[in-house]
C-alpha cells in the first residue's frame, strides 16, 4: 500500500517559526528528502529529529525520482523539505510531487514559512492580486526583456533576487518600470538583520548602492503594479460612458459599454450610476 508524501515548510530564519505539526511529521516519517542534507541536518539536530535524510535537489531530482517513488509505494511515509521555507517555491521538489500525483500517491502539504508571503504581508502594497515571478534571469539582456513583459501588469509582483545581483536588478527595474514605481524591499526576513522598507525604485537604488549591507542575505522585492494602466482603462471607460449617457439610459449605456469593451456589465452599470450622480 502506498505511503504519503508530506511537503513540509521549514523556517526561513527564526527557528521558532517551525510548526508543531512539522516537527511531528518530520519525526514520524521513514525518510526526509532534503535539498541540502548538511543544512537540514542542523535543523533536525536542533529539534532532536533522528529521521534519515536523503538528498533531493535540482541536480539529482530527475534521476532519483524512481527510487523515491518506489519507497513510497512500498509503504514508507516521506517528507520533502528545502533549505528554508516552502518546497517548490523557487526550490526543488516539483518533479517529485508531480511523480507522486501521477502514481496516485497522496501528497499532503504541511504549511509554514514562505519568504514571498511574509514579505507581501509586511511591505504595505496591495495584496488582493499578486503574482510570484521567482528569480529573474541573471543575464541583463534577458532580465530587461522579462521586465519589459511585466511593466504594464497591474497586480503586485513578488521577485526573489540574489545579493550579488540586487543593485543591478533594481537599477534595471527603475529603468523599465520608472523610478517612481513603488517597491517593497524585504531582506533577511525573521533574521537578526531583518530589513523591511517601502519606497520608490529610485530611492531603493540609492539605498542599496549607499549601504553595502543591503547587498547581503536573502532578498525579496515586492513591486507595485502599473497604476498608469489602471488609470488609462478607467479614463477610457468613463469617456465612453459619458458619451453614451447623453443619449441612453444608465442601463442601456452600461450594456453597450460592456459589449464594446468586454468589461462586466455590473461594473459598467455601477460606474455609469456614479457618473450620473456626479453630474446631477
Amino acid at each position: 500500500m502506498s505511503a504519503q508524501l508530506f511537503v513540509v515548510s521549514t523556517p526561513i530564519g527564526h527557528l521558532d517559526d517551525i510548526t508543531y505539526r512539522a516537527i511531528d511529521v518530520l519525526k514520524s516519517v521513514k525518510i526526509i528528502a532534503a535539498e541540502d542534507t548538511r543544512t537540514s541536518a542542523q535543523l533536525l539536530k536542533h529539534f532532536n529529529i533522528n529521521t534519515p535524510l536523503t538528498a533531493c535537489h535540482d541536480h539529482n531530482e530527475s534521476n532519483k525520482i524512481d527510487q523515491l517513488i518506489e519507497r513510497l509505494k512500498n509503504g514508507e511515509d516521506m517528507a520533502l523539505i528545502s533549505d528554508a521555507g516552502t518546497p517548490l517555491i523557487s526550490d526543488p521538489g516539483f518533479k517529485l510531487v508531480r511523480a507522486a500525483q501521477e502514481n496516485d500517491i497522496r501528497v499532503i502539504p504541511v504549511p509554514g514559512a514562505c519568504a514571498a508571503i511574509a514579505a507581501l504581508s509586511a511591505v504595505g502594497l496591495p495584496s488582493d492580486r499578486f503574482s510570484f515571478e521567482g528569480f529573474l534571469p541573471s543575464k541583463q539582456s534577458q532580465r530587461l526583456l522579462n521586465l519589459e513583459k511585466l511593466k504594464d501588469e497591474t497586480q503586485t509582483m513578488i521577485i526573489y533576487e540574489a545579493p550579488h545581483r540586487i543593485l543591478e536588478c533594481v537599477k534595471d527595474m527603475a529603468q523599465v518600470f520608472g523610478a517612481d514605481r513603488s517597491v517593497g524591499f524585504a531582506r533577511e526576513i525573521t533574521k537578526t538583520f531583518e530589513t523591511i522598507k517601502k519606497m520608490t525604485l529610485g530611492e531603493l537604488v540609492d539605498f542599496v548602492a549607499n549601504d553595502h549591507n543591503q547587498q547581503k542575505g536573502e532578498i525579496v522585492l515586492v513591486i507595485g503594479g502599473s497604476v498608469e494602466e489602471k488609470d488609462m482603462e478607467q479614463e477610457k471607460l468613463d469617456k465612453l460612458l459619458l458619451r453614451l449617457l447623453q443619449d441612453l439610459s444608465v442601463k442601456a449605456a452600461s450594456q453597450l459599454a460592456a459589449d464594446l469593451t468586454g468589461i462586466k456589465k455590473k461594473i459598467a452599470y455601477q460606474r455609469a450610476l456614479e457618473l450620473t450622480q456626479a453630474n446631477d
Side-chain angles (χ1 to χ4, degrees):
M1 181 178 178
S2 295
Q4 301 167 117
L5 174 63
F6 295 88
V7 182
V8 181
S9 299
T10 55
I12 57 177
H14 201 302
L15 291 178
D16 288 349
D17 288 336
I18 199 166
T19 67
Y20 290 120
R21 183 183 176 208
I23 293 173
D24 287 343
V25 167
L26 294 177
K27 285 183 175 180
S28 65
V29 295
K30 293 293 185 182
I31 190 167
I32 299 171
E35 179 182 3
D36 187 326
T37 55
R38 295 166 298 181
T39 299
S40 295
Q42 298 174 25
L43 177 73
L44 300 191
K45 181 179 180 181
H46 181 83
F47 291 105
N48 296 315
I49 299 170
N50 299 313
T51 308
L53 288 163
T54 187
C56 182
H57 47 70
D58 286 333
H59 302 295
N60 77 345
E61 189 175 2
S62 295
N63 297 327
K64 202 160 187 177
I65 283 177
D66 290 344
Q67 173 190 336
L68 296 177
I69 292 298
E70 191 63 28
R71 296 187 69 159
L72 285 160
K73 285 183 175 181
N74 289 335
E76 295 186 32
D77 282 341
M78 184 180 301
L80 170 67
I81 61 175
S82 60
D83 288 350
T86 301
L88 280 74
I89 310 302
S90 283
D91 277 332
F94 162 69
K95 294 175 183 178
L96 176 59
V97 169
R98 179 178 60 184
Q101 294 285 6
E102 291 172 348
N103 284 273
D104 296 322
I105 294 167
R106 186 182 178 193
V107 179
I108 302 174
V110 181
C114 175
I117 300 303
L120 179 65
S121 72
V123 299
L125 283 168
S127 57
D128 55 331
R129 289 181 61 240
F130 62 90
S131 61
F132 176 65
E133 304 298 332
F135 284 93
L136 294 174
S138 57
K139 291 184 178 179
Q140 185 183 36
S141 60
Q142 296 176 351
R143 183 165 63 242
L144 288 170
L145 185 61
N146 274 37
L147 291 173
E148 284 289 345
K149 294 177 181 178
L150 295 172
K151 72 175 182 179
D152 292 328
E153 296 293 332
T154 56
Q155 78 278 2
T156 298
M157 294 165 280
I158 305 172
I159 290 173
Y160 288 169
E161 191 49 276
H164 64 279
R165 288 198 302 265
I166 185 60
L167 182 56
E168 295 306 314
C169 177
V170 294
K171 283 181 178 179
D172 288 344
M173 286 182 176
Q175 174 185 327
V176 176
F177 293 157
D180 293 334
R181 180 77 71 96
S182 294
V183 61
F185 178 76
R187 185 181 70 89
E188 294 289 86
I189 300 173
T190 78
K191 299 177 184 177
T192 302
F193 298 105
E194 177 181 86
T195 304
I196 298 178
K197 292 182 177 292
K198 177 175 173 285
M199 60 190 85
T200 66
L201 279 169
E203 291 169 337
L204 181 57
V205 170
D206 292 339
F207 178 66
V208 173
N210 294 328
D211 184 353
H212 191 69
N213 288 323
Q214 305 308 323
Q215 300 176 41
K216 300 177 182 178
E218 304 292 331
I219 299 168
V220 184
L221 297 169
V222 184
I223 302 97
S226 173
V227 295
E228 292 82 4
E229 184 74 14
K230 290 181 181 178
D231 291 344
M232 185 173 66
E233 293 302 319
Q234 185 69 62
E235 185 179 340
K236 287 181 180 178
L237 176 61
D238 287 356
K239 186 176 181 180
L240 175 61
L241 284 170
L242 286 169
R243 177 62 189 88
L244 293 173
L245 287 167
Q246 293 178 14
D247 303 309
L248 301 171
S249 66
V250 169
K251 182 178 180 180
S254 59
Q255 178 64 68
L256 184 54
D259 292 342
L260 291 172
T261 64
I263 195 172
K264 290 183 179 179
K265 181 183 176 183
K266 183 177 179 180
I267 296 174
Y269 183 81
Q270 182 61 41
R271 186 57 182 161
L273 279 178
E274 292 171 356
L275 292 172
T276 301
Q277 293 167 358
N279 291 329
D280 285 345

